[in-house]
Amino acid sequence: MSSRRVLRETRTIDPASITEHYLDRVLALPEGVGTLRVELDFEKVTDCFQLYAAALDPGGFLRGHVQCPGDPGPRRLSFEVGEEHADLGCHAGPLPAGEWTIRIDLDRFTQGGSYELRVFVADADADADAGRAVTAVGRTGVVRAAPVPPSPPTWLRGELHSHSLHSDGSADLPALLDAARAAGLDFLAVSDHFTSSHWAELARLEEQGAAEGLVLLRSIELTSHFGHANLHGLSRWPGTYVDADGWDFADAARDVHAQDGLVGVNHPFSGRQAWRRDDHTWDDVDLLEIDNFGQGANNDAAVGLWDRLLGSGHRITGVAGTDCHHPQKPEHRLGQVTTVVRAERSREGILGALRAGEAYVSRGAGLRLSARTAAGQCGMGGTVPLDGPVHLDVELDTPRPAVLFILRGGLLWHMEPVAADGPARIRVTDPRPLPGPYRAELHASSDDPYFWASCNRSHASSLAVSNPVWVAATSPREAERHSA
């Protein structure tokens, strides 16, 4: 098949004169087109002039995209979508006639620059296609794997934030699965940016046995100009471009929840990737990344945000993510910070535990919290009525001497040393409990004689962080008394 150019645009752009986040070109494709190729040339200036390219079909479904990882300098981004073949990050299948959107995403646009955009098409090969059935790509873009028999709930350790060659990762999916198994993980979310193209390949790998021992979640990282969010448990592409008129983050969150999926805000204080969206409420959010391995002190701010949200009554589960792009590099190695859930070994079980908050974040230690009053008991994510003293049971296992901290309503309430001598159980009783969240943290202890005066705990000393148990007022009068 010979291709022909149907669009060429050369343009110099400056942030002072452009307010859009996407530059869209509408291209009318006739019947009979077999392949579409998009090329975008520009000079990358890291964090100042970075562009992505994408193509959306007449129904608004993302058929192809490409990002610009790597060094600054002259760049050529390109991808091809065809009936039988598509580049990584893209969906193969028939190309329907109609108005396609060719999109330039102005990812980082704080200084001006120039680009050249080219689009090529080629007609379908009628002779080669004769008598051959081609399955049209749908908005799901997924081959469903066989159901896994249910298993008893147990504690499962996994990774909720990783990337492959389908977006800006450096590893293919088989290598990423190998790295996850080598790290001893029980579940993995490949959360490639923008696209759902990796789901079908993951399903094929499952069918071939390449994911043995791993539960794979269907996930996408929604990558907007005002923050990133991981979307988990999806059955269809939810529309990840939320910076244009007509579709915002609240719309995307409603779509995810209609699929029984989960919405999680990532690295909320990460510079230009920090969470700055104002087109939703926190009721739209199920998960918050309180420990991202590469974020350093930004994680301390994330925990502070989490406590404020919990104190406002939001039931948001704290989770972790390595944000792995290069599993072969030490700083991206899977398993260094994980989310641990109590669930049956299935997608539905893991998603249910995350939704319920029956989870903790681990940097090598175990930490499980439960609560009991005269009126009932619960585990993490659960609620007990306020009826007399609250007894908190902490099960922990630490590889080194540590300090247990318990926070009540976001304030430090209790602390005590813990020896590194295997699994332990600690019971703490609050004789005058307050309605609201109680949660636990485990931090490496210090030999500094001033440690017990200041208890400097941070991301650098963190070994594990539990999700909260909740104490609920037993009556409106009781609630009013405690809030006065």
Side-chain angles (χ1 to χ4, degrees):
M1 293 183 293
S2 60
S3 63
R4 60 187 183 277
R5 191 177 67 206
V6 294
L7 175 65
R8 179 184 180 186
E9 177 180 280
T10 302
R11 185 178 178 188
T12 299
I13 54 177
D14 187 277
S17 58
I18 293 180
T19 58
E20 301 96 328
H21 299 292
Y22 313 128
L23 301 179
D24 289 346
R25 299 295 175 260
V26 176
L27 185 66
L29 286 193
E31 296 282 355
V33 172
T35 62
L36 172 76
R37 181 173 183 81
V38 176
E39 297 178 351
L40 179 64
D41 292 351
F42 66 98
E43 178 116 5
K44 176 181 175 179
V45 182
T46 302
D47 289 332
C48 296
F49 192 75
Q50 297 181 190
L51 311 179
Y52 303 157
L56 296 95
D57 71 14
F61 178 58
L62 178 64
R63 289 295 301 273
H65 90 117
V66 63
Q67 294 176 256
C68 60
D71 297 329
R75 304 299 297 274
R76 171 166 293 179
L77 308 183
S78 67
F79 63 85
E80 185 171 287
V81 181
E83 291 192 18
E84 287 289 299
H85 168 77
D87 290 335
L88 294 177
C90 308
H91 287 282
L95 277 62
E99 293 188 340
W100 285 63
T101 299
I102 309 301
R103 171 163 291 171
I104 299 176
D105 186 342
L106 304 176
D107 171 56
R108 308 289 172 88
F109 186 39
T110 60
Q111 72 177 50
S114 300
Y115 69 82
E116 180 171 297
L117 174 67
R118 299 177 299 278
V119 180
F120 302 86
V121 299
D123 294 334
D125 188 331
D127 293 334
D129 291 341
R132 182 175 64 199
V134 176
T135 302
V137 65
R139 293 184 70 88
T140 60
V142 65
V143 179
R144 296 194 180 276
V148 177
S151 60
T154 188
W155 289 101
L156 303 174
R157 175 172 166 266
E159 169 66 67
L160 292 174
H161 197 163
S162 67
H163 301 280
S164 77
L165 288 171
H166 283 262
S167 61
D168 62 348
S170 65
D172 60 19
L173 288 174
L176 197 58
L177 299 192
D178 287 345
R181 280 199 304 273
L185 301 184
D186 298 297
F187 62 90
L188 176 69
V190 182
S191 52
D192 275 317
H193 298 273
F194 299 102
T195 186
S196 58
S197 63
H198 52 294
W199 298 352
E201 185 180 352
L202 286 173
R204 288 193 295 271
L205 291 169
E206 282 184 300
E207 291 176 344
Q208 295 163 7
E212 185 176 1
L214 282 171
V215 178
L216 302 179
L217 305 183
R218 297 191 194 103
S219 306
I220 296 174
E221 185 166 13
L222 183 154
T223 309
S224 82
H225 290 243
F226 300 96
H228 294 188
N230 273 349
L231 315 176
H232 300 292
L234 303 175
S235 58
R236 63 175 180 270
W237 186 72
T240 55
Y241 290 98
V242 294
D243 291 325
D245 293 339
W247 188 256
D248 61 16
F249 184 79
D251 294 321
R254 279 191 290 272
D255 193 341
V256 172
H257 291 146
Q259 303 177 49
D260 292 325
L262 300 174
V263 176
V265 168
N266 293 341
H267 43 66
F269 291 89
S270 179
R272 288 181 182 146
Q273 301 172 105
W275 193 255
R276 296 169 288 145
R277 302 205 66 88
D278 58 6
D279 54 351
H280 74 100
T281 71
W282 284 100
D283 290 336
D284 296 322
V285 176
D286 307 292
L287 315 173
L288 181 67
E289 197 175 64
I290 60 170
D291 193 343
N292 180 297
F293 192 75
Q295 286 295 312
N298 288 336
N299 292 319
D300 298 330
V303 171
L305 169 63
W306 187 43
D307 274 329
R308 292 195 297 276
L309 293 170
L310 295 177
S312 298
H314 294 286
R315 300 290 185 106
I316 295 176
T317 302
V319 297
T322 301
D323 203 352
C324 172
H325 288 72
H326 317 286
Q328 73 281 7
K329 294 184 177 180
E331 64 270 25
H332 285 253
R333 178 172 51 82
L334 289 170
Q336 297 181 93
V337 57
T338 58
T339 304
V340 186
V341 301
R342 185 179 182 275
E344 66 175 36
R345 192 177 289 271
S346 69
R347 288 190 185 97
E348 293 74 18
I350 291 165
L351 293 168
L354 289 169
R355 183 180 291 110
E358 197 165 10
Y360 66 90
V361 166
S362 173
R363 289 196 178 220
L367 181 63
R368 296 173 290 280
L369 178 66
S370 60
R372 180 175 58 83
T373 66
Q377 59 185 7
C378 73
M380 289 179 292
T383 303
V384 292
L386 179 56
D387 186 0
V390 171
H391 306 287
L392 301 172
D393 283 314
V394 184
E395 296 178 62
L396 53 86
D397 191 354
T398 173
R400 56 183 296 184
V403 180
L404 171 67
F405 298 92
I406 295 179
L407 289 91
R408 182 180 72 174
L411 298 176
L412 185 60
W413 173 74
H414 176 84
M415 57 191 177
E416 67 177 89
V418 178
D421 55 1
R425 180 187 291 267
I426 294 174
R427 172 167 289 181
V428 181
T429 297
D430 185 356
R432 300 178 60 192
L434 298 176
Y438 287 70
R439 64 178 187 83
E441 297 181 0
L442 196 63
H443 289 263
S445 62
S446 171
D447 294 329
D448 185 339
Y450 294 101
F451 175 79
W452 288 102
S454 59
C455 288
N456 290 323
R457 71 190 211 287
S458 73
H459 65 283
S461 60
S462 180
L463 297 174
V465 178
S466 84
N467 271 280
V469 295
W470 295 82
V471 175
T474 55
S475 67
R477 176 177 294 180
E478 186 82 11
E480 182 177 344
R481 182 174 71 85
H482 283 285
S483 62

